[in-house]
């Protein structure tokens, strides 16, 4: 393990994140409602630490796979650890534990919050909170389409070929090219959503913050009542559409924007993703119509919004779905497990893994009846290598182990059964709200401090596709 | 599909099960408290149908794998369908739906009941109810150690070598030899437990019925209060010990009884099985001591009893564990998923599959760090073939799919979330009681009829290691 090379990159990361504080500093200057001083101190600390790390370590060392894992994992921890500073320094009564939880929730695009009254925060802090989503989303797109496929994590090698850019073996040039392309798409959609939300009557500040929450599938809102604050079907549908886009593979968007609109249709994962959204939305629309809503149009609006919000792991809410039928809630919980597409900013298990798992099970059933038949496993037009399929199975297995172990740990904090399980689904899947005492109208403030640290870790583990973090705990990782 | 050959075997099965009704008929004559007439009519119907099937179909046709699946699945359905007759005919006010549920629960050794007052039943019916457990247990041992390994179901090919008896390829002679050996062990333990329970002060009737419930890991009791009725630490420990034995591989017992006591120690699954029981028991004993019990000895007694009862999927109870801490309940639920060892009468996923899955995940993590290393997957001293390991993964995957789909279906019947999920864990794992409104002090009577049919199907699916039933639904199965 070349620790100095890792620290060098982390230093550069901190300098960039420190520099990004200049934007909330600008927001503080505009609104002048507090927090300026906290941001300036944070800026100085973060940039200083970053520069020291960067300058005191040798530059231009070639980074290997092992260092790649370390940079990603410790990078996210450093982001949350230092990004929490403005919350603590703004003397808003937020403890470091809570600030770390909130910032980890931001950078992992989870959207779980410890704040019961977000509207009381100064605009600068509110902006920073949503901005961590947007920055985290940029990191995730890069991670899932450029870095993890090369590290061969959890079946992600499937997407090696999906990524645009030159096929060079060295990590750096490839990542840089890919980053520029994908971030272009991300920026394009972000501008489009902001404009559309402005047209719906949101002010620029709210439009920006909600765009950050949407495109990163994060879910932090600037309003206590979430999206229902705006009471606008137009706004809910705009956000729904952009959540669907954010939960889809950005490599597809890139191709579509270059004119190959058929990319969407030809992609098996995307078809399955849309299929699930449509099927569950229809079920909810019809089953909730008579019991919960006055009209089909209202039932459709609320159903599509929450199906998309929870499946893409965004976590925005515009209704209290805990009041809906048990079967509706159960389906929403299942969607939380599924999550977004690979190469999106969405969390969860990922649509493609569920798709492959289902296909795989089907082929195994066929094999029982025809033991000697060779039944290929296909994902659309391409056949899936045995290696990738078994990578998917490992991922599912370890996901459920962590889910079970995490849920058990949460029961030790005196939470009820549903909440214990739900906090883990919600953080491991990077969703935000759940059910039980962390429903859409509640928050995570009442979880004991140790529980908040554990949930922060689960957000990280879920966000980095599990293996990236787990290998760090492996003895083999540290032995050269 | 050679349907006539299947019907021939089913005919023979019905004749045997009809003949077994002579025992409850004897019980009716002894106690003379009702039900005699119901059993005589049932006897006549079942034996007649059986004989007709048997005589009208050609004998001595060689049965293939495909027919094997059909015989097992339809055999269990026929047992439940016809075995339910005495309950309906005894004019005890039990509907056919309820009688089918109760009998399926008996033959699948589940132990879920629709009866709120079992003590009101005549002795003949009570005996039959428990006897279905014991007969089902015989079937399961044979199925899991002699039939499924040959059909290569869900990683069960692992146990091909485990089974004593000659290695002949034709199903019939091999099954017959294996059956005699294993049923000898089963009978031996049953006699031993009955004697020990008699020594603890139980009358012969209760001792026999509870032995049936124990050795089959069933869980039907003849008392409304379950095992707590007897209020005896001796009886709870005797039952605990025999539940542990019933939840272990019967091929191991056979070797141990022939003098190779070290078979237990050398078996990796058995060590893991005992390890889990000890670990969870210790956790519960210490964590429940101060909050729920007066002494460590009482805490230990209740902890070990319920850990063993739920892990082996027996489902006996001597305390209301729904009053215990949430973490205790969560662990008990996890144990319900794990289940007994392969080749036992226990249900659930099976210890060996969990063991292999954990080992497999560990090797995959190592591979991430050392991509080119060849890391063998070992189960004790033997190495696990890739085929068997992937069979295990398929099983886990399909188990969770069925669990999720079943739970969703149960939410449609208006049950609360915990109960919906718990009914499925409990029936799919062949346990009996669960949590929610089907806890140890409650029963399944309040579930709507359609729900009872679904849960009956899940008992069957779980009991027959899923694939055995699933292939019947496969189009490929019926096309020659």
């Amino acid at each position: 393990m070349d620790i100095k090379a890792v620290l060098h990159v982390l230093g550069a990361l901190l300098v960039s994140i420190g520099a990004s504080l200049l934007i909330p500093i600008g927001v503080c200057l505009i609104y002048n409602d507090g927090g300026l001083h906290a941001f300036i101190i944070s800026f100085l600390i973060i940039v200083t630490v970053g520069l020291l790390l960067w300058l005191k370590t040798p530059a231009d060392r070639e980074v290997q796979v092992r260092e790649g894992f370390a940079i990603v994992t410790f990078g996210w921890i450093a982001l949350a650890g230092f990004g929490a500073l403005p919350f603590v320094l703004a003397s808003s009564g937020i403890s470091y534990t809570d600030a770390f939880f909130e910032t980890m929730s931001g950078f992992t695009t989870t959207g779980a919050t410890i704040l019961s009254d977000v509207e009381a925060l100064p605009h600068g802090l509110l902006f920073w909170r949503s901005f961590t989503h947007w920055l985290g989303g940029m990191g995730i797109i890069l991670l899932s389409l450029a870095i993890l496929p090369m590290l061969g994590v959890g079946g992600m090698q499937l997407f090696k070929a999906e990524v645009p850019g030159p096929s060079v073996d060295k990590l750096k040039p490839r990542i840089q090219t890919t980053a520029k392309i994908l971030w272009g798409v991300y920026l394009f959609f972000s501008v489009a959503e902001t404009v559309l939300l402005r047209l719906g009557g949101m002010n620029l500040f709210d439009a920006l913050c909600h765009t950050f929450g949407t495109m990163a599938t994060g879910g932090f809102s600037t309003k206590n009542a979430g999206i229902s604050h705006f009471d606008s079907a137009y706004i809910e549908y705009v956000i729904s559409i952009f959540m669907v886009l954010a939960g889809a593979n950005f490599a597809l968007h890139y191709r579509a924007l270059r004119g190959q609109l058929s990319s969407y249709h030809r992609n098996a994962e995307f078809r399955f993703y849309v299929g699930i959204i449509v099927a569950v939305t229809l079920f909810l629309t019809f089953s909730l119509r008579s019991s919960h809503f006055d009209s089909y149009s209202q039932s459709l609006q609320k159903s599509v919004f929450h199906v998309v919000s929870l499946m893409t792991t965004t976590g925005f809410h515009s209704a209290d779905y805990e009041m809906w039928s048990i079967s509706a809630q159960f389906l929403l919980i299942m969607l939380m497990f599924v999550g977004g597409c690979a190469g999106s900013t969405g969390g969860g298990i990922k649509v493609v893994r569920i798709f492959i798992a289902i296909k795989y099970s089907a082929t195994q059933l066929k094999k029982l009846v025809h033991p000697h038949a060779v039944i290929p496993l296909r994902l659309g037009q391409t056949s899936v290598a045995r290696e990738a399929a078994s990578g998917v199975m490992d991922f599912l297995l370890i996901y459920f182990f962590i889910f079970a172990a995490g849920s058990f740990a949460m029961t030790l904090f005196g939470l009820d059964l549903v909440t214990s399980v739900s906090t883990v689904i919600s953080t491991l899947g990077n969703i935000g709200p759940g059910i039980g005492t962390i429903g859409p109208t509640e928050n995570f403030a009442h979880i004991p401090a140790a529980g908040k640290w554990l949930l922060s870790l689960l957000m990280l583990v879920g966000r980095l596709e599990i293996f990236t973090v787990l290998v760090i705990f492996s003895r083999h990782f540290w032995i050269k």
Side-chain angles (χ1 to χ4, degrees), chain A:
Chain A
M1 171 65 66
D2 186 351
I3 291 175
K4 285 185 179 166
V6 173
L7 289 177
H8 189 73
V9 180
L10 291 184
L13 184 71
L14 282 180
V15 172
S16 335
I17 220 65
S20 77
L21 285 178
L22 294 173
I23 305 178
I25 286 174
V27 174
C28 288
L29 290 171
I30 294 170
Y31 287 92
N32 198 23
D33 57 354
L36 179 60
H37 135 108
F39 278 105
I40 291 175
I41 300 175
S42 305
F43 170 81
L44 293 175
I45 294 174
I46 300 173
V47 171
T48 309
V49 173
L51 276 179
L52 279 178
L53 277 181
W54 193 63
L55 294 173
K56 295 278 177 184
T57 46
D60 282 329
R61 291 230 222 158
E62 196 54 60
V63 168
Q64 306 294 319
V65 169
R66 212 178 280 245
E67 284 76 28
F69 284 120
I71 288 168
V72 170
T73 303
F74 293 114
W76 244 275
I77 294 174
L79 287 182
F82 285 95
L85 288 178
F87 290 103
V88 179
L89 297 172
S91 57
S92 49
I94 300 175
S95 69
Y96 186 74
T97 297
D98 282 0
F100 185 86
F101 180 92
E102 196 81 5
T103 317
M104 184 59 98
S105 174
F107 279 115
T108 56
T109 82
T110 303
T113 184
I114 48 85
L115 296 166
S116 51
D117 183 10
V118 289
E119 292 171 29
L121 286 190
H123 280 76
L125 274 184
L126 267 187
F127 184 91
W128 174 236
R129 186 168 165 264
S130 294
F131 198 47
T132 56
H133 272 339
W134 199 71
L135 296 174
M138 293 181 79
I140 281 310
I141 293 174
L142 194 61
L143 184 73
S144 63
L145 283 172
I147 301 175
L148 292 186
M150 275 184 273
L151 304 184
V153 164
M156 297 294 278
Q157 56 267 53
L158 276 171
F159 308 105
K160 262 187 192 160
E162 293 264 335
V163 193
S167 292
V168 185
D169 261 351
K170 289 186 179 174
L171 275 151
K172 238 171 119 186
R174 185 193 170 101
I175 289 178
Q176 282 172 349
T177 323
T178 313
K180 273 183 203 155
I181 292 170
L182 296 174
W183 288 346
V185 177
Y186 190 64
L187 191 66
F188 173 80
F189 282 146
S190 299
V191 171
E193 185 184 351
T194 308
V195 170
L196 287 170
L197 290 179
R198 285 284 291 129
L199 293 177
M202 268 196 201
N203 65 41
L204 182 62
F205 181 82
D206 288 338
L208 274 175
C209 288
H210 285 94
T211 294
F212 296 155
T214 309
M215 288 315 300
T217 69
F220 281 152
S221 174
T222 54
K223 302 297 175 190
N224 291 331
I227 308 303
S228 53
H229 173 94
F230 301 101
D231 193 22
S232 153
Y234 169 83
I235 283 177
E236 288 191 24
Y237 279 115
V238 166
I239 293 180
S240 295
I241 290 167
F242 281 91
M243 288 193 289
V244 172
L245 292 173
N249 190 327
F250 274 75
L252 285 183
H253 294 319
Y254 170 71
R255 283 197 220 114
L257 289 175
R258 290 188 52 157
Q260 303 172 43
L261 263 174
S262 65
S263 305
Y264 290 126
H265 179 70
R266 275 188 287 115
N267 186 276
E269 182 187 24
F270 186 79
R271 288 199 307 269
F272 192 52
Y273 168 66
V274 173
I276 295 174
I277 291 174
V278 170
V280 181
T281 298
L282 287 179
F283 177 86
L284 292 196
T285 302
F286 287 101
S287 77
L288 297 175
R289 157 67 190 87
S290 55
S291 51
H292 293 80
F293 297 108
D294 297 333
S295 64
Y296 275 107
S297 72
Q298 204 195 2
S299 188
L300 176 68
Q301 175 193 330
K302 296 296 176 186
S303 297
V304 76
F305 186 82
H306 289 90
V307 164
V308 169
S309 175
L310 292 177
M311 173 149 177
T312 60
T313 74
T314 307
F316 278 142
H317 59 91
S318 74
D320 184 2
Y321 54 74
E322 287 198 281
M323 307 298 286
W324 295 0
S325 67
I326 296 293
S327 50
Q329 290 185 50
F330 185 86
L331 284 179
L332 292 177
I333 295 169
M334 288 299 106
L335 295 184
M336 292 186 192
F337 275 109
V338 176
C341 299
S344 75
T345 61
I349 289 170
K350 302 287 177 304
V351 175
V352 69
R353 292 203 180 96
I354 302 288
F355 186 78
I356 289 177
I358 290 173
K359 282 244 169 179
Y360 187 72
S361 307
T363 63
Q364 293 307 110
L365 276 184
K366 283 181 201 163
K367 266 192 190 157
L368 267 187
V369 188
H370 302 290
H372 304 295
V374 177
I375 303 155
L377 181 61
R378 305 190 73 82
L379 178 69
Q381 270 112 44
T382 50
S383 75
V384 177
R386 192 165 176 159
E387 287 249 311
S390 90
V392 168
M393 304 297 265
D394 303 342
F395 183 90
L396 288 174
L397 199 65
I398 295 183
Y399 198 90
F400 283 110
F401 276 137
I402 292 177
F403 166 63
S407 300
F408 172 63
M410 292 310 293
T411 65
L412 297 174
F413 296 116
L415 304 170
D416 66 89
L417 196 58
V418 169
T419 303
S420 302
V421 170
S422 162
T423 50
V424 176
I425 301 176
S426 181
T427 50
L428 187 60
N430 301 118
I431 296 140
I435 58 167
T437 61
I438 55 145
T441 61
E442 291 137 316
N443 60 65
F444 286 70
H446 65 289
I447 309 278
K452 284 176 184 155
W453 286 102
L454 175 64
L455 294 177
S456 301
L457 175 66
L458 289 176
M459 292 184 217
L460 181 73
V461 168
R463 184 70 286 183
L464 303 185
E465 305 281 331
I466 292 178
F467 293 99
T468 321
V469 180
L470 275 197
V471 286
I472 306 280
F473 291 106
S474 152
R475 187 168 44 89
H476 298 261
F477 184 75
W478 298 97
I479 305 164
K480 193 88 192 188

